[in-house]
Amino acid sequence: MQLREKLDQGDMMITAWSTSPSAEMAGVLAQCPFDTVTVDMQHGGHSEFTAFASAKSILAAGKPAILRIPVGRNDLASRALDMGFEAVIAPMINSVAEAEAFASAMKYPPLGERSWGPIQALQMHTSYTAESYFRSANQKTVSLAMIETREAFAALDGILATKGIDGIFVGPSDLSISWSNGAHVDPHNAELQDVMAEIADRARKAGKFAAIFAVDPADVPRFGKMGYRLAALNTDPGIIHAGAAMMLDKARG
Ligand code: 3PY
Ligand code: MG
């Protein structure tokens, strides 16, 4: 397992975002020069079957795999780790209690209540024995709680202090909806820039990772300067559209 170590090195990592329910497509993303691939079960089309198969094709390309679970599906957080994913992103974590429930599913006792059974993980992470996986999993796996509402921002320090939460992941679109009390969705809302910088700063002070979703490639260096260590770059359909537009522009002169 390599993701945690890379995050600890402190360089900005960029993750592809797989929404198409296809392990083959997730494998293609992993072959691109992304640092990692995230499989999205919240808004993406992935089923458990395609998500778990995607973990295999991402790892076969030599990249770590991350899963975003649907809201409240902590059972899938434990299963994702059993299937070889190294990190899980939990959306809409709005309170310390929700952070604690997520962390508990992610970590083995005595920290949490993750149940034993990393069957596919042990097949994929071949340098581990059952015992060495058990001893290192709590430290090597990464649990990222999404901060994407005013409520979550108000509870931020408590969420960051929750044992077993390794970092936060900002959802700028949902945060913009919440910040405007439901008036609009605008991940580039100027008012949010200071809020996003403050979230990264508070995460750093708490000794936790800060990650974020970037709609636009130009957002990534800006987020890096704020202290974010991991940025998701748009989605697989977004990449295909951008690539097609660029290639067709050239092709048509
Ligand atoms: C958001 O911006 O709300 C997200 O969840 C990004 O995936
Ligand atoms: Mg969101």
Side-chain angles (χ1 to χ4, degrees):
M1 290 193 284
Q2 41 169 327
L3 182 68
R4 178 68 190 244
E5 213 166 294
K6 288 188 173 168
L7 281 169
D8 280 334
Q9 284 165 7
D11 300 333
M12 168 65 102
M13 294 179 75
I14 301 182
T15 181
W17 199 265
S18 165
T19 67
S20 306
S22 152
E24 286 76 17
M25 184 62 87
V28 171
L29 290 171
Q31 285 154 8
C32 296
F34 288 104
D35 299 299
T36 168
V37 177
T38 301
V39 174
D40 186 9
M41 288 188 75
Q42 184 194 15
H43 297 301
H46 280 284
S47 64
E48 289 173 37
F49 180 80
T50 62
F52 300 157
S54 295
K56 278 192 171 169
S57 47
I58 296 164
L59 229 91
K63 303 284 171 69
I66 302 174
L67 183 80
R68 177 162 76 171
I69 55 175
V71 176
R73 290 294 307 276
N74 292 331
D75 58 321
L76 278 181
S78 306
R79 264 189 103 193
L81 301 179
D82 288 346
M83 293 294 170
F85 286 94
E86 295 183 37
V88 177
I89 301 168
M92 293 287 181
I93 296 292
N94 291 327
S95 65
V96 171
E98 286 169 6
E100 284 171 350
F102 169 50
S104 179
M106 289 288 289
K107 305 294 179 183
Y108 287 122
L111 195 49
E113 294 178 334
R114 180 180 169 194
S115 165
W116 178 253
I119 297 168
Q120 183 167 296
L122 284 174
Q123 281 168 31
M124 287 160 59
H125 302 296
T126 50
S127 60
Y128 288 88
T129 62
E131 181 60 22
S132 68
Y133 180 88
F134 176 68
R135 275 190 278 107
S136 55
N138 280 3
Q139 203 277 322
K140 298 251 182 195
T141 57
V142 181
S143 48
L144 296 169
M146 284 196 79
I147 303 298
E148 40 188 358
T149 61
R150 279 183 184 272
E151 215 182 333
F153 183 67
L156 180 63
D157 289 335
I159 292 170
L160 285 167
T162 302
K163 286 200 174 74
I165 292 294
D166 301 300
I168 51 85
F169 192 110
V170 174
S173 292
D174 275 313
L175 192 57
S176 73
I177 294 174
S178 177
W179 218 259
S180 65
N181 296 316
H184 56 234
V185 55
D186 174 13
H188 292 110
N189 179 342
E191 246 188 81
L192 279 183
Q193 303 310 305
D194 287 348
V195 175
M196 294 191 293
E198 184 179 333
I199 294 172
D201 198 46
R202 278 157 71 176
R204 186 185 50 77
K205 286 184 179 138
K208 304 280 168 100
F209 301 113
I212 192 161
F213 191 91
V215 176
D216 194 315
D219 294 336
V220 176
R222 209 162 36 80
F223 291 149
K225 286 194 190 104
M226 289 178 186
Y228 287 91
R229 303 264 187 92
L230 172 70
L233 182 53
N234 209 284
T235 60
D236 42 2
I239 287 170
I240 292 171
H241 281 284
M246 192 190 72
M247 290 174 86
L248 287 167
D249 267 0
K250 279 195 183 166
R252 289 182 174 136

